[in-house]
Amino acid sequence: MSNNRPIGFLDSGVGGLTVVKEAMKQLPNETVYYIGDTLRCPYGPRPVEQIKQFTWEMTQFLMKKNVKMIVIACNTATAIALEEIKKTLRIPVVGVINPGARAALKLTHNNKIGVIGTAGTINSGEYGSAIHKKSPKSDVYGIACPKFVPIVESKQYSSTIAESVVSEALAPFNGKNIDTLVMGCTHYPLLKPLIRQEMGEKVKLIDSGAEAVSEVSMLLDYYDIAADATEEEKQHEFFMTGSKKMFEDISHDWLNLESISTNRITLP
Amino acid sequence: MSNNRPIGFLDSGVGGLTVVKEAMKQLPNETVYYIGDTLRCPYGPRPVEQIKQFTWEMTQFLMKKNVKMIVIACNTATAIALEEIKKTLRIPVVGVINPGARAALKLTHNNKIGVIGTAGTINSGEYGSAIHKKSPKSDVYGIACPKFVPIVESKQYSSTIAESVVSEALAPFNGKNIDTLVMGCTHYPLLKPLIRQEMGEKVKLIDSGAEAVSEVSMLLDYYDIAADATEEEKQHEFFMTGSKKMFEDISHDWLNLESISTNRITLP
């Protein structure tokens, strides 16, 4: 059996595009529908109930598009809404935290793991729980980096401002001797060169979103809902609540797509 | 939520121990129950209906032991019975073919993939289907190696006989220019040094069973049924239909367990 319906990706903004990029690489037969709530981004500092509501609105939008699977390509939304959405929907729902935690445990040698994310993700403690459940003795150091998402969403991720913001935010890791750092926000891979520069070559950087794509790939097989390999070009669709131009600029930068189908929409 | 019930592994003989070895490494919190139908091994040359029946008998044995997940740690049984068993049981069931096929597609550069397995596995064409579904242009060369399993089950896997059997069996790959070889039988990793010697250093060897453990790990998280991390030693249990001594010798060789709990049983 095969299933050529799209996979739905949702994010508070453009960060989930880093997950889509990996999905297009690993799963070239699949059609991507993406929604980014760029108008209401960032989610990180918002109250839990509001994050839950916004995430449900995006989920319902994708469900109306008849997606076969939903990827919550946003750590904040995963931390706060994954469990409830997974329980409620009848299609598979994948988050980004468990894959990131599993990858960290696989790569760390000294069991000292850093996690960076939004305030919402770090305060939820979900990474610590996921890691400690498997490995109670691991040390997990979480740092909220509330300035990172606005820098990415405003396309300043290569600026000198970005450089000093990243440097300042990661300074508390000095002396912690972590050997693995989870980029626990799908926006952060856009800042990876600066994060790499700050942490040095020896610290392993984990892209939670890219890790999630392996889970998607496995579940497509497990539920026997992978798309057929065809010669036809995929009709990917990108929806956003904010500026089309900003979205197109970043997605062009990141996905190397000459032209993509973008649609500004209103939620709910 | 956590779940400390055992994971059940089944195989026609001792081959599945190569999967258990990987599971013990990747999933140290989990308890393993294993059944090997060593008395009726090999399954490879048997008729499809008989393989299906024997696999169901092992499945029912494990279900009575209250396992939380079943791993069909045998390519032949996966090829012939996975789909039916997965549809019937209410617990997750994992096979070894899809994980092996995914790994091959991830590692190959020239899309020329070799597969070795029992006659049952190769004749089923399941590897070819799994690979072509995702990548129709890949060349898949399957070779049945009916002599490999008896060599492993009779503990001759390091002998000079083994060396010439392996060399002869793999000769048809000459000139095929494959860059990736799936060891599509869980017995074959015990012959890996000889397979490596024959294929050369450049061909990537894929252990389908080890790949399946990543799927197990993911599904434990996905269904939220991973075991707690505790200090208690796990009470693994090994059941076999044939000689205890042979089983213990090979499992000692492979699992480096000083003493394991082995029980000879009768099926059905």
Side-chain angles (χ1 to χ4, degrees):
Chain A
M1 218 168 61
S2 67
N3 184 322
N4 294 329
R5 284 155 57 201
I7 301 176
F9 294 77
L10 65 86
D11 181 46
S12 62
V14 296
L17 291 175
T18 64
V19 188
V20 166
K21 186 181 184 180
E22 187 65 26
M24 287 178 168
K25 193 176 123 198
Q26 280 190 42
L27 306 166
N29 303 326
E30 300 297 333
T31 301
V32 168
Y33 275 32
Y34 181 96
I35 176 166
D37 194 6
T38 46
L39 189 68
R40 302 188 289 194
C41 189
Y43 278 14
R46 292 181 183 274
V48 165
E49 279 312 310
Q50 199 176 49
I51 296 169
K52 199 177 269 186
Q53 186 200 320
F54 291 177
T55 308
W56 265 115
E57 287 170 11
M58 289 195 282
T59 301
Q60 276 145 2
F61 176 85
L62 289 171
M63 288 303 284
K64 282 185 194 146
K65 299 285 179 192
N66 199 26
V67 296
K68 62 182 173 186
M69 184 188 281
I70 284 182
V71 182
I72 302 186
C74 170
N75 281 266
T76 313
T78 298
I80 286 155
L82 171 64
E83 202 178 326
E84 186 179 300
I85 292 173
K86 198 168 147 183
K87 264 189 206 147
T88 309
L89 300 190
R90 280 162 180 256
I91 59 171
V93 183
V94 173
V96 284
I97 292 182
N98 272 327
R102 271 197 305 275
L105 281 171
K106 211 167 172 179
L107 289 180
T108 184
H109 289 300
N110 69 4
N111 290 311
K112 294 180 190 298
I113 299 166
V115 179
I116 51 177
T118 67
T121 300
I122 299 300
N123 293 341
S124 77
E126 289 286 326
Y127 270 103
S129 307
I131 292 169
H132 286 137
K133 195 171 167 188
K134 288 171 201 287
S135 174
K137 288 177 179 167
S138 291
D139 292 324
V140 180
Y141 304 99
I143 292 179
C145 304
K147 292 180 183 169
F148 285 16
V149 170
I151 281 179
V152 170
E153 294 277 331
S154 60
K155 293 200 290 171
Q156 296 182 74
Y157 43 88
S158 310
S159 67
T160 49
I161 298 169
E163 198 170 340
S164 64
V165 164
V166 168
S167 171
E168 194 181 325
L170 303 184
F173 284 124
N174 280 336
K176 291 286 189 297
N177 193 28
I178 61 163
D179 72 349
T180 306
L181 177 66
V182 180
M183 295 187 289
C185 172
T186 54
H187 284 77
Y188 296 1
L190 286 110
L191 295 164
K192 192 174 175 184
L194 300 177
I195 295 170
R196 163 63 62 217
Q197 182 178 311
E198 192 58 27
M199 299 305 296
E201 288 300 323
K202 283 189 188 159
V203 173
K204 294 171 200 93
L205 299 183
I206 289 170
D207 179 342
S208 58
E211 296 298 331
V213 175
S214 300
E215 182 160 331
V216 171
S217 173
M218 204 234 76
L219 287 173
L220 290 172
D221 282 350
Y222 188 77
Y223 288 110
D224 199 10
I225 53 171
D228 284 327
T230 61
E231 293 294 322
E232 283 170 51
E233 210 170 314
K234 307 292 163 294
Q235 294 299 315
H236 306 301
E237 296 280 345
F238 296 84
F239 304 90
M240 71 288 315
T241 54
S243 156
K244 266 180 82 152
K245 169 115 184 29
M246 181 279 282
F247 192 94
E248 284 169 356
D249 287 350
I250 295 187
S251 63
H252 182 78
D253 245 30
W254 261 83
L255 300 179
N256 298 319
L257 288 177
E258 280 306 307
S259 64
I260 60 171
S261 168
T262 54
N263 314 271
R264 185 165 183 174
I265 54 135
T266 308
L267 285 179
Chain B
M1 218 168 60
S2 67
N3 184 323
N4 294 329
R5 283 155 57 201
I7 301 177
F9 294 76
L10 65 86
D11 180 46
S12 62
V14 297
L17 291 175
T18 63
V19 188
V20 166
K21 187 182 183 179
E22 188 65 27
M24 286 177 169
K25 194 176 121 197
Q26 280 190 43
L27 306 166
N29 303 326
E30 300 297 332
T31 301
V32 168
Y33 276 33
Y34 181 94
I35 177 166
D37 194 5
T38 47
L39 189 70
R40 302 187 291 194
C41 189
Y43 278 14
R46 292 182 182 274
V48 165
E49 279 312 311
Q50 199 176 48
I51 297 169
K52 200 177 268 186
Q53 186 199 320
F54 291 177
T55 308
W56 265 115
E57 287 170 11
M58 289 195 282
T59 302
Q60 276 145 2
F61 176 85
L62 289 171
M63 289 303 284
K64 282 184 193 146
K65 298 286 179 193
N66 199 26
V67 297
K68 64 183 173 185
M69 183 187 282
I70 283 182
V71 181
I72 302 185
C74 172
N75 282 265
T76 313
T78 297
I80 286 155
L82 171 65
E83 203 178 326
E84 186 179 300
I85 292 173
K86 198 167 147 182
K87 263 188 207 150
T88 310
L89 301 189
R90 280 161 180 255
I91 58 170
V93 182
V94 172
V96 285
I97 293 181
N98 272 326
R102 272 197 304 274
L105 282 170
K106 211 167 171 178
L107 289 179
T108 184
H109 289 299
N110 69 3
N111 290 312
K112 294 181 191 298
I113 299 166
V115 179
I116 50 176
T118 68
T121 301
I122 298 301
N123 293 340
S124 77
E126 289 286 326
Y127 269 104
S129 307
I131 292 169
H132 286 138
K133 196 172 167 187
K134 287 171 200 290
S135 174
K137 287 178 180 166
S138 291
D139 292 323
V140 180
Y141 305 99
I143 293 181
C145 303
K147 293 180 183 168
F148 285 15
V149 170
I151 280 179
V152 170
E153 293 278 331
S154 60
K155 292 199 291 171
Q156 296 182 73
Y157 43 88
S158 309
S159 67
T160 49
I161 297 168
E163 198 170 339
S164 64
V165 164
V166 168
S167 172
E168 195 181 323
L170 302 183
F173 284 125
N174 281 336
K176 291 287 189 295
N177 193 27
I178 61 163
D179 73 349
T180 306
L181 177 65
V182 181
M183 296 187 288
C185 172
T186 54
H187 284 77
Y188 296 0
L190 285 109
L191 294 164
K192 192 174 176 185
L194 300 177
I195 296 170
R196 163 63 63 217
Q197 183 180 309
E198 192 58 29
M199 300 305 296
E201 289 300 323
K202 282 189 188 159
V203 172
K204 293 172 201 93
L205 298 184
I206 289 169
D207 179 342
S208 58
E211 296 298 330
V213 175
S214 300
E215 182 162 330
V216 171
S217 173
M218 202 233 78
L219 287 173
L220 289 172
D221 282 351
Y222 188 76
Y223 288 110
D224 199 10
I225 53 170
D228 284 325
T230 61
E231 292 295 320
E232 283 171 51
E233 209 170 314
K234 306 293 163 294
Q235 295 299 314
H236 307 301
E237 296 280 347
F238 296 85
F239 304 91
M240 71 288 316
T241 56
S243 156
K244 266 181 83 152
K245 169 110 183 36
M246 180 280 281
F247 193 94
E248 284 171 355
D249 286 351
I250 295 186
S251 63
H252 181 78
D253 244 32
W254 262 82
L255 300 179
N256 298 320
L257 287 178
E258 280 306 307
S259 65
I260 61 170
S261 168
T262 55
N263 314 270
R264 185 164 183 176
I265 54 133
T266 309
L267 283 178

